[in-house]
Amino acid sequence: MQRHLIRATAIGAVFVSSAAFASPNMAIDLTLPEITQGQYHRPYVAVWVEDAKGETVKTLSLWVASDGHKWLKDIRRWWRKAGRDDLSFVDGIASATKPAGHYKLNWDLTDDAGKAIEVADYTLFIEVVREHGGRDLVRQAFDLTKGDFTTQLAATEETGVIDIRLSGVTR
Amino acid sequence: MKLRLAALLTTLCLSPFASSHDRWILPSHYNVSAEGQEAVMITSDVSASNQIFMFDKPVTASDVRIIQPDGKPTLPTSSYTGGRKSVFDAQLVQDGTYKFEKEVEPRYFSRYKIKGKEGMVRSRLDKKATAASMPKDAYGLESSLTVARVETYVTKNKPTTKVLQPKGEYLELVPITHPADFVENEPATLQFVYDGRPVEGVKVSIIKEGTLYRNKPEEIELSSDKDGKVAMVLPAAGKYFLHAALERESVDKSLADKTSSEIFLTFEAGLE
């Protein structure tokens, strides 16, 4: 109960601040869980946004092993939707794998070319794949016409709880 | 099960021309990623079996052709013929989609009966040659020309479409949805053409791997529409086997009454 109250206050604060700051932002608080069972390798992670037609709009993060492109295909949906189309783009955004922990990502609602996206339906995807481990694909649909929101995605084997907060869209 | 077996036997009796085994090329990977011009080695198994992807018959891999993304054919870098399967390796250098194919040369099959004797006499000769060599009291001569293709597609980095083009001979399968984009629970479309033109009524059967561990094959059965198209929705990610067949009356009946075409395609449905 106490926790709910705190959460409600936090949401209230978001609304207040979004009124004050009109620059849109999606904050994603991504957790990679500590996994102690079996052989552990850091996961390959892709975070991206697709439009209503399933076309990628923006890849926010790509965390992969540094030994070439061999493993990209294992981030299966992201590879099919975005990776395989433009390998030089992939080189530009790829960064090293990360250990278990919390990571904050921010997206200013611009596409891969840096242009503001249209007010429409989108889906945020987070794909986490681990060698000798599992794969989880989690998603959150959102509609920019409906304005700001805060949500939490439940933990899976390969992803911890993910908090998503869109602000600055409510006019 | 009994019913199925009976049905199968009937089919075999009615159609002595069709091969009783499914043939297939099973690559180790359908989609690979690599940096720049870095080559990726793929290995593939070639066999024939009744259960999907069980190794039963030593089908040769020596006649496998690899069509590269630029359309130029090449041969496997190495191959091996074993007692239950064959294996070939292919080095993928170019980016794009490759087609691995094994085209079985068109062959004639004939059969006839002899008065007072049970069963059929079969030959691998055309109608004319069989008629010339069969005994005088023989009757019921039927001949068929059979053509089969055993094929699969493998993609390195971004898919390309050059190898998807039909050649315009006999029955061919043209993927409308790119094979690198076959995904579980998403519709995918294939088109069948005969002599390069869309053909209706091609019987298609699609089976997911692992039939040995299921009580039923759980076939998806489809038939091509007037545009030669079939739409499939694959229920789960994994490797699949597709068999397509079409029988047509021959234009020139002097050598064969009908032409029987078959395609054996192996593919993968990706995770959503």
Side-chain angles (χ1 to χ4, degrees):
Chain A
M1 199 60 203
Q2 184 101 33
R3 196 173 271 187
H4 281 151
L5 266 177
I6 293 168
R7 178 157 284 281
T9 322
I11 294 169
V14 169
F15 280 120
V16 171
S17 66
S18 70
F21 305 99
S23 59
N25 182 60
M26 181 177 274
I28 301 144
D29 194 337
L30 169 67
T31 304
L32 297 179
E34 198 102 41
I35 294 170
T36 50
Q37 277 181 326
Q39 200 182 74
Y40 185 79
H41 292 275
R42 290 179 181 184
Y44 310 128
V45 179
V47 181
W48 77 101
V49 177
E50 293 180 15
D51 65 16
K53 285 185 207 147
E55 306 279 336
T56 54
V57 170
K58 171 83 175 181
T59 298
L60 302 176
S61 288
L62 176 65
W63 302 337
V64 287
S66 55
D67 55 345
H69 289 169
K70 189 178 169 191
W71 308 105
L72 293 177
K73 68 173 193 317
D74 294 323
I75 317 170
R76 296 191 57 154
R77 186 181 178 105
W78 171 83
W79 173 248
R80 190 172 71 246
K81 294 286 186 169
R84 70 189 192 190
D85 287 332
D86 188 349
L87 288 172
S88 56
F89 159 74
V90 168
D91 284 336
I93 56 166
S95 60
T97 53
K98 308 267 194 285
H102 292 284
Y103 299 94
K104 282 194 194 301
L105 308 174
N106 283 290
W107 176 42
D108 60 2
L109 271 57
T110 58
D111 63 14
D112 285 319
K115 280 190 229 146
I117 59 166
E118 287 173 34
V119 175
D121 288 330
Y122 296 93
T123 304
L124 173 75
F125 286 90
I126 298 142
E127 188 169 1
V128 178
V129 187
R130 205 161 44 84
E131 194 183 349
H132 300 298
R135 166 193 183 259
D136 275 303
L137 175 70
V138 295
R139 67 186 81 196
Q140 176 63 47
F142 58 97
D143 179 353
L144 287 183
T145 63
K146 294 195 173 145
D148 295 351
F149 70 90
T150 301
T151 193
Q152 190 172 65
L153 303 180
T156 65
E157 294 277 318
E158 302 292 335
T159 64
V161 167
I162 298 166
D163 284 302
I164 301 166
R165 196 182 71 209
L166 179 67
S167 59
V169 171
T170 305
R171 279 156 252 240
Chain B
M1 196 62 201
K2 261 186 186 161
L3 248 179
R4 207 185 138 71
L5 189 63
L8 185 68
L9 286 174
T10 317
T11 322
L12 288 177
C13 297
L14 288 178
S15 172
F17 316 117
S19 158
S20 56
H21 284 94
D22 291 328
R23 284 158 272 170
W24 36 267
I25 296 173
L26 185 67
S28 56
H29 301 73
Y30 289 88
N31 293 287
V32 294
S33 52
E35 205 155 9
Q37 289 305 297
E38 193 188 330
V40 179
M41 191 66 92
I42 297 282
T43 189
S44 300
D45 292 317
V46 183
S47 188
S49 61
N50 287 324
Q51 291 280 1
I52 303 305
F53 305 145
M54 296 302 291
F55 307 126
D56 281 342
K57 301 282 173 204
V59 173
T60 182
S62 62
D63 55 355
V64 166
R65 285 200 312 166
I66 295 159
I67 313 300
Q68 303 174 98
D70 64 6
K72 290 189 181 126
T74 184
L75 294 172
T77 53
S78 63
S79 69
Y80 152 85
T81 301
R84 273 183 176 265
K85 72 169 182 184
S86 297
V87 176
F88 70 90
D89 288 340
Q91 199 170 29
L92 313 186
V93 179
Q94 298 171 17
D95 273 4
T97 302
Y98 292 71
K99 183 176 186 178
F100 296 171
E101 63 178 22
K102 202 180 139 62
E103 288 189 51
V104 180
E105 287 291 304
R107 272 189 198 151
Y108 289 101
F109 288 95
S110 300
R111 63 175 189 178
Y112 56 84
K113 283 185 169 180
I114 298 172
K115 264 177 199 157
K117 283 189 184 170
E118 268 195 44
M120 290 278 190
V121 180
R122 286 149 209 251
S123 84
R124 292 209 162 188
L125 301 171
D126 62 47
K127 200 171 186 181
K128 222 181 233 174
T130 307
S133 64
M134 68 186 193
K136 287 212 171 67
D137 55 351
Y139 68 101
L141 172 63
E142 280 178 49
S143 299
S144 169
L145 178 67
T146 76
V147 190
R149 300 180 197 279
V150 185
E151 53 197 33
T152 191
Y153 296 95
V154 169
T155 298
K156 181 187 164 210
N157 291 332
K158 187 175 177 157
T160 53
T161 56
K162 191 155 193 168
V163 299
L164 310 184
Q165 303 309 314
K167 291 169 202 152
E169 284 189 327
Y170 302 110
L171 182 66
E172 287 173 281
L173 185 159
V174 186
I176 301 293
T177 304
H178 197 288
D181 289 323
F182 290 169
V183 175
E184 58 175 341
N185 303 320
E186 281 184 15
T189 306
L190 305 173
Q191 188 180 36
F192 290 90
V193 296
Y194 196 90
D195 288 345
R197 282 189 296 276
V199 58
E200 188 177 0
V202 178
K203 297 275 170 274
V204 181
S205 149
I206 299 162
I207 307 179
K208 192 172 187 293
E209 64 184 328
T211 50
L212 186 62
Y213 313 111
R214 290 199 295 273
N215 289 324
K216 290 175 183 161
E218 291 167 18
E219 289 175 73
I220 300 170
E221 287 182 336
L222 302 164
S223 183
S224 65
D225 67 13
K226 62 174 180 12
D227 299 319
K229 288 182 182 171
V230 296
M232 57 181 185
V233 178
L234 304 159
K239 289 168 183 162
Y240 284 82
F241 172 79
L242 180 151
H243 176 241
L246 182 73
E247 228 173 56
R248 286 205 140 184
E249 294 291 310
S250 298
V251 182
D252 174 8
K253 291 208 168 63
S254 64
L255 298 178
D257 304 297
K258 52 197 172 186
T259 304
S260 164
S261 296
E262 282 185 294
I263 293 169
F264 304 93
L265 175 78
T266 307
F267 63 88
E268 169 189 78
L271 284 166
E272 194 181 340

